[in-house]
Amino acid sequence: MSATTGNAATPVNSASGTAAVLDVRSISMNFGGLRALNEVDLQVRLGEIVALIGPNGAGKTTFFNCITGIYVPTEGTVHVTPRDGRTVTVNGLKASQVTELGMSRTFQNIRLFPTMSVLENVMIGRHCRTRAGILGALLRDSRTRAEEQRIVEESYALLKSVNLHQHYKDQARNLPYGAQRRLEIARALATDPFLLCLDEPAAGMNPQETHELKELVIEIRERHQLSVLLIEHDMSMVMSLSDRIYVMEYGSKIAEGTPEEVSKNPRVIKAYLGEESHA
Amino acid sequence: MQGLKKSILVSLWFMFLTFPLMVIRIDSLNGTIDWRWENMLGMGAGSFVLSFVWRFMMARKEAGRAAAAGGVMSARGAWFERLRSDPKAAVPALAVILAVFLVLPWLVSTYQTNIMISALLYVMLGLGLNIVVGLSGQLVLGYVAFYAVGAYSYAILNSNFGLGFWSVLPIGGAMAALFGILLGFPVLRLRGDYLAIVTLGFGEIIRLVLENWSDFSQGPSGIANIDRPGLFGTQLSVSDATTYIYYLILAAVIVTIVAVTRLKNSRIGRAWQALREDEIACQAMGIDITTTKLTAFALGACWAGFAGVIFAAKTTFINPASFTFLESAMVLAMVVLGGMGSVIGVSVGALVLILLPEYLRAFSEYRMLIFGATMVLMMVFRPQGLVSPGRTKYNVPDAEGAGAAAARPAAGGNA
């Protein structure tokens, strides 16, 4: 666990200098005549927590969908460098292949598997890291059984790390809202990501829950040695958690930098923080 | 009391509505009017009682739902849960059921055995469709097409090439699975109602081809004199052959139950369920939905193919009339009525839906009416089906019930 209340702009493993695990070069996304993304660049380095902020409709979630394979960007390239060190072009791959490479995400409006149990939800995350096929399922040989047991144990350990293990038998839809958010993070972690993309993880949470979530994200980064890309509206969380911040408006990037730099940037204040006199 | 008042109002309204029909009768011979007030009384009492029972059942259903949400289970539910989760209770219960099925052909007539055979065939079909509809959530309405593929595989290979039952059984399954994949490819992007309509069309195409391509399938007149399954070359009398087929289909059903249960609790089965719950999240969790859907289609179709081969061997005569849309609808009704995703539920649903109309022959004129009313009432009061799917048990590292969990590591559970 790292410092809890201080601002995380001084992370344990300062990220500057290490190679980018995610390198997005001027991607654009057109929906018919609408240009939802306009030549956006973004880099996430190893161990960094990067936030993507911007007013509603700025194109943040579209950006997420483009880099995780839900959409195919109209122009530009997305490169990732998984743990094994090779660099792979992501755009054009299926969402499942992107996840298999090690880029995992959560959703703005929670998308759990509602009638499956909490444990099973996490177990699904292990799918792409395990191999048992139809024959294994039918014969249930010792290797398949061992793999199943390993999936159960790994998933349970992940549930424990987000403090949901007492609920492992419950249906996911019966969990309280905050717990569903944590379960979604645990499920994403089960895919063994090197980059975790969180789409508004604190949406709808009270200040106490937001605070716990912040600590959880820091803890996850330490324990799993991963980078985090985060979309968030909660300014106090973004400012205290992120190493760097990208700001988008109308589909274009308008600023990037450390929280201090961004919060002083006149364009950002005008476009985003401006009238609110917030922060 | 609110309910009582409403029921009285309902009965008054019905008395008023049926007044011209039930009370007034014009006697045209004498030119007088009969006032049959007693009918009105009967009508009122009847609608009062029915409305009151309806209201009572609805209230009970709501209460049950509230209790379930609060984690309290009714005594009846607890009893059933214990039966299927506690091996001490489940094993003897299963043994008794198995014993009953084993001795059945010696206790009842050949006719009854035949009914049982078709019921068990439908259990197999229901369980196969359960993979596609219940587990992976793909609504398929043309399931009987795969059944036809299996049946015709055996009929044609047997009558043209003299291949026996046992060699065609895997071929029939494989053929059906191939058709499952063929159907799967074009419908990968469809879901819900669109998928249902396309598969409905597919089922009709198969049937129409069989009906019209006389050189291949001998058209509507069908294929006759198909060999019964052999038993080491011995000749069996008709009643012995029926008994033999009964045991064969019983074994096939047991194999199906084991296979579907194991699939359900496997990595693949979980992926199917995730696909049913949320397709986007499923992809985002690294599951390739193309292969997952295709395996579901192929395996579901495969079981229909096996059932088709057995069906052709049982009846020794098949024609396209056995493979109409009504059959698909019946199998789907079994899955929905029994409880989607539940192996026990679908088996019970199939037995009920086949045996109920058989044994309702005593009320021959009303049997379809009773049948239909039962279905409607089921869907109103128990939309989740007879049996809701059981939860798989996992042997987690520090579970509170370590003793119970130690019985079988992750062997997982119940249907």
Side-chain angles (χ1 to χ4, degrees), chain A residues 94 127 134, chain B residues 131-133 135-140 146 177 179-192 195 268 271-276 278-280 282-283 287-301:
Chain A
K94 284 196 269 188
H127 185 93
I134 297 169
Chain B
I131 294 178
V132 190
V133 177
L135 293 182
S136 60
Q138 310 294 311
L139 184 53
V140 169
F146 306 121
F179 271 83
I181 293 172
L182 276 183
L183 170 67
F185 266 114
V187 301
L188 274 176
R189 288 166 177 283
L190 305 177
R191 58 183 99 163
L195 177 68
I268 308 270
W272 286 339
Q273 291 169 58
L275 183 73
R276 173 189 73 194
D278 190 325
E279 226 166 271
I280 301 265
C282 185
Q283 280 174 286
I287 295 172
D288 187 347
I289 58 169
T290 308
T291 48
T292 307
K293 267 190 194 176
L294 288 181
T295 43
F297 271 107
L299 279 170

Side-chain angles (χ1 to χ4, degrees), chain B residues 61 76 80 84 130 332-342 344-350 352 374-389:
Chain B
K61 181 186 162 195
R76 212 178 40 132
F80 184 71
R84 76 172 171 191
N130 187 35
L332 187 66
M334 288 163 194
V335 175
V336 174
L337 208 78
M340 286 209 261
S342 161
I344 300 176
V346 172
S347 314
V348 174
V352 168
T374 318
M375 290 251 265
V376 171
L377 290 178
M378 262 306 286
M379 285 300 102
V380 171
F381 291 110
R382 241 190 117 75
Q384 74 273 39
L386 287 169
V387 183
S388 42

